Amino acid sequence: MALQERPVGKFDRAVIFLGPPGSGKGTQAKELARKFGIPHLSTGDMLREHVAKGTPLGLKAKPLMERGELVPDSVVLKMVAERIERPDCAHGCVFDGFPRTVTQAKYLGELLKQNGLHQPFVIHMVIGHSVLMRRLTGRRICKKCGEIYNIFDRPPKVEGICDIDGGDLYQRPDDREEVVKPRLQAYEKQTAPLVTYYRRLGFLYDVDARKSVEEVQADILQALAGIRGAR
Ligand code: AP5
């Protein structure tokens, strides 16, 4: 069945995108959330919004993000708890970049139970680090709609301008080469253990994230169709 023809209906599950920086979590999470009509919750985007607004949370997070380090669990968990309780998450949501530590994962499990949602389904984006530097340093994002491009592999039609709404494209400060390295190290040390954690619980599905955006999307939809059908 072609992707466009897949039935898209009510969804009552949280989907988690787990993978290193640049593996394509945001690209796929946005699209999946749109397809199922559920919110896309990126803790990175939420934190960047706090930084841009200069809130107390943003002031705390800014230097850590600039160094490629994780923001403390307590800060992230409070932010997610407030967001997931909003009515638009009643039928599920797509987490992008959360959870990132075992503490966050355990807390999320409780939070989902309290909000009447099934156990999460975890998409593990499998990819070697050698590809990630090119993906991250080449990434450009639309200021207006957040569409993600790559100057090497997914360039916009007109340089610096979003194809969708004509917004200006910008580069994230943590996509500079010197910050990408500590981000990858933080992933290996603090986030990669979640692969074992979720695999043991039986919630994990491995996706080959080296494939094209369209192929990765097809693999994800196939995996989700399997679990939806199995319920
Ligand atoms: P966050 O914003 O979550 O960044 P990240 O996890 O480092 O992931 P990225 O957004 O960089 O990459 P992605 O996997 O989404 O890839 P994308 O789809 O954009 O976090 C930023 C910071 O916030 C953290 O360092 C930390 O400080 C803090 N933070 C956030 N959450 C936290 C938490 N829970 N706890 C503590 N701290 C937290 O794609 C990348 C590029 O590749 C793009 O150019 C894209 O076009 C291209 N691309 C995508 N897919 C493909 C493909 N299949 N083929 C070719 N190119 C592709």
Side-chain angles (χ1 to χ4, degrees):
M1 192 191 291
L3 286 184
Q4 297 84 335
E5 294 163 22
R6 279 179 189 277
V8 175
K10 198 169 117 180
F11 200 70
D12 55 0
R13 200 178 268 264
V15 178
I16 293 169
F17 276 88
L18 176 63
S23 57
K25 303 183 296 294
T27 301
Q28 298 295 339
K30 247 186 230 312
E31 188 55 24
L32 192 71
R34 193 191 59 75
K35 262 188 194 312
F36 286 111
I38 54 178
H40 165 220
L41 306 190
S42 155
T43 42
D45 285 350
M46 291 183 207
L47 289 166
R48 279 184 286 278
E49 208 178 311
H50 277 283
V51 171
K53 286 182 182 158
T55 67
L57 194 160
L59 293 176
K60 198 168 180 179
K62 189 170 186 259
L64 296 164
M65 293 172 80
E66 280 172 355
R67 292 199 298 269
E69 295 171 21
L70 293 192
V71 173
D73 287 338
S74 56
V75 173
V76 175
L77 292 175
K78 187 166 180 286
M79 199 175 69
V80 171
E82 283 169 6
R83 181 64 187 88
I84 204 178
E85 277 164 13
R86 291 199 213 150
D88 62 344
C89 291
H91 297 298
C93 57
V94 181
F95 285 109
D96 163 10
F98 176 87
R100 251 173 152 105
T101 62
V102 173
T103 303
Q104 291 182 16
K106 287 184 176 164
Y107 184 84
L108 177 65
E110 289 305 313
L111 211 56
L112 293 175
K113 252 191 242 165
Q114 283 166 23
N115 286 277
L117 290 166
H118 289 275
Q119 288 299 340
F121 183 71
V122 183
I123 311 269
H124 175 215
M125 305 287 274
V126 183
I127 192 164
H129 284 199
S130 56
V131 193
L132 300 175
M133 188 60 83
R134 177 184 169 96
R135 284 201 184 176
L136 290 168
T137 54
R139 173 167 53 187
R140 298 293 182 274
I141 304 165
C142 174
K143 278 185 182 165
K144 272 196 201 168
C145 70
E147 182 67 12
I148 303 168
Y149 296 88
N150 189 286
I151 55 170
F152 307 118
D153 303 317
R154 263 193 130 204
K157 289 188 186 109
V158 179
E159 193 186 326
I161 304 290
C162 178
D163 294 346
I164 297 170
D165 57 16
D168 289 332
L169 304 186
Y170 75 98
Q171 182 176 30
R172 266 171 47 178
D174 61 348
D175 278 349
R176 285 173 293 121
E177 202 172 328
E178 61 273 27
V179 192
V180 169
K181 280 189 186 155
R183 285 169 62 198
L184 292 173
Q185 283 163 357
Y187 177 81
E188 285 309 323
K189 196 170 166 210
Q190 292 164 280
T191 308
L194 286 181
V195 174
T196 310
Y197 175 83
Y198 280 121
R199 202 183 297 286
R200 279 200 187 125
L201 291 174
F203 303 156
L204 195 89
Y205 184 85
D206 291 317
V207 167
D208 182 352
R210 294 167 306 175
K211 293 184 182 176
S212 73
V213 170
E214 292 72 22
E215 286 170 325
V216 173
Q217 187 188 48
D219 287 351
I220 292 168
L221 287 176
Q222 194 174 11
L224 285 172
I227 58 147
R228 295 179 83 203
R231 263 210 322 270

